[in-house]
Amino acid sequence: TSNVNRMDSMFNGCSVLTTVPDFNTSNVNRMDFMFYGCSKLKSVPSFDTRNVTNMHCLFYECYSLTSVPTFNTSNVTNMGAMFQGCYSLTTIPEMDTSNVTNFDGIFYSCTSLTTIEGISFKSFADSTMNYHYLVGWDSIPSLRKAVFKDIGYQSTAVQFNTENIENWGVNTSEIPDARQSLVDSLITYSFDRASAGYQTCEITLSSTTKALLTSDEIAQIEAKGFVIA
């Protein structure tokens, strides 16, 4: 498959497929809908995705998928519904999403998801970034650790709403660094809007998550041009 440049919908609807080999994907630029509806797929190899730009619905309703490798996503612009309906998936490795403009429903119905190691909102241009774009309109109480980078990067980004990720930052014995991911997202990795001269961006958190922040941490967040709601 070294000369193949499109694999979109390649295994669409293969509902009894459990595994696939690591075939050559070095020239592939589209993987949208590639494993759509592969409900018994349990794992995939670490494909070469350096040239892929579209991963829309890549693993849509892959109910049995328990993990995914770290893909090269540096050129991907569309991740809409990429993991929608992946009920068994617990962890998302860090992905380079610096060029992604569409996250619509990327983690919708990922009811076992506990950890997102890192995604960036650098290219997301919508003025209101809210939980709908990540988890649909449902709450996702299982998600504890989420490292969100470049919050507030766009001048038009005036709101960031995560109130449906209701336990973001709540530590557990299995995830002792959940709270640190909250601090890193809102302070360490957030964009300095104040220094850039942008208007204030409102960050809406669940009451549980908001209570985890100290007054000093809230002051640091506000100093970068944000207000916690």
Side-chain angles (χ1 to χ4, degrees):
T1 55
S2 59
N3 292 316
V4 176
N5 56 41
R6 287 183 57 171
M7 290 187 173
D8 45 309
S9 295
M10 185 174 179
F11 300 107
N12 189 329
C14 293
S15 59
V16 295
L17 183 70
T18 58
T19 60
V20 289
D22 187 10
F23 36 77
N24 190 324
T25 58
S26 59
N27 284 307
V28 175
N29 55 56
R30 285 188 59 174
M31 286 186 169
D32 44 311
F33 296 91
M34 185 174 175
F35 297 106
Y36 185 104
C38 292
S39 56
K40 293 188 178 180
L41 186 68
K42 295 182 179 180
S43 64
V44 291
S46 184
F47 294 126
D48 182 346
T49 56
R50 74 185 85 173
N51 291 310
V52 176
T53 59
N54 192 339
M55 289 185 171
H56 181 242
C57 289
L58 174 58
F59 298 112
Y60 187 100
E61 293 187 350
C62 288
Y63 303 138
S64 303
L65 193 67
T66 57
S67 64
V68 289
T70 302
F71 294 120
N72 183 335
T73 55
S74 58
N75 288 309
V76 177
T77 59
N78 189 347
M79 286 187 175
M82 182 175 174
F83 299 104
Q84 182 169 331
C86 290
Y87 301 144
S88 302
L89 196 60
T90 59
T91 302
I92 301 294
E94 183 166 5
M95 300 186 292
D96 181 349
T97 59
S98 56
N99 287 309
V100 175
T101 57
N102 180 16
F103 286 108
D104 197 8
I106 182 173
F107 304 120
Y108 182 54
S109 293
C110 290
T111 53
S112 298
L113 188 64
T114 64
T115 304
I116 299 172
E117 294 290 354
I119 58 175
S120 165
F121 297 111
K122 191 171 185 179
S123 292
F124 190 87
D126 201 313
S127 61
T128 302
M129 177 68 195
N130 63 43
Y131 50 80
H132 172 67
Y133 293 103
L134 296 177
V135 300
W137 295 112
D138 293 336
S139 64
I140 184 165
S142 61
L143 184 57
R144 303 300 180 99
K145 177 183 178 181
V147 179
F148 297 138
K149 299 181 178 181
D150 302 306
I151 295 173
Y153 187 87
Q154 300 288 346
S155 62
T156 56
V158 296
Q159 186 180 48
F160 187 78
N161 189 325
T162 65
E163 61 184 328
N164 268 26
I165 307 175
E166 55 199 69
N167 289 314
W168 182 23
V170 178
N171 286 342
T172 65
S173 57
E174 294 80 13
I175 311 174
D177 54 348
R179 185 184 178 281
Q180 187 60 48
S181 76
L182 172 66
V183 174
D184 287 341
S185 298
L186 301 184
I187 300 175
T188 308
Y189 298 128
S190 63
F191 182 70
D192 192 338
R193 292 179 65 84
S195 295
Y198 294 163
Q199 69 183 101
T200 299
C201 177
E202 181 181 270
I203 298 177
T204 304
L205 305 172
S206 72
S207 57
T208 299
T209 297
K210 185 177 179 180
L212 297 173
L213 296 170
T214 67
S215 56
D216 178 65
E217 288 165 344
I218 292 175
Q220 292 180 66
I221 294 167
E222 292 175 342
K224 296 186 77 171
F226 299 94
V227 60
I228 299 296

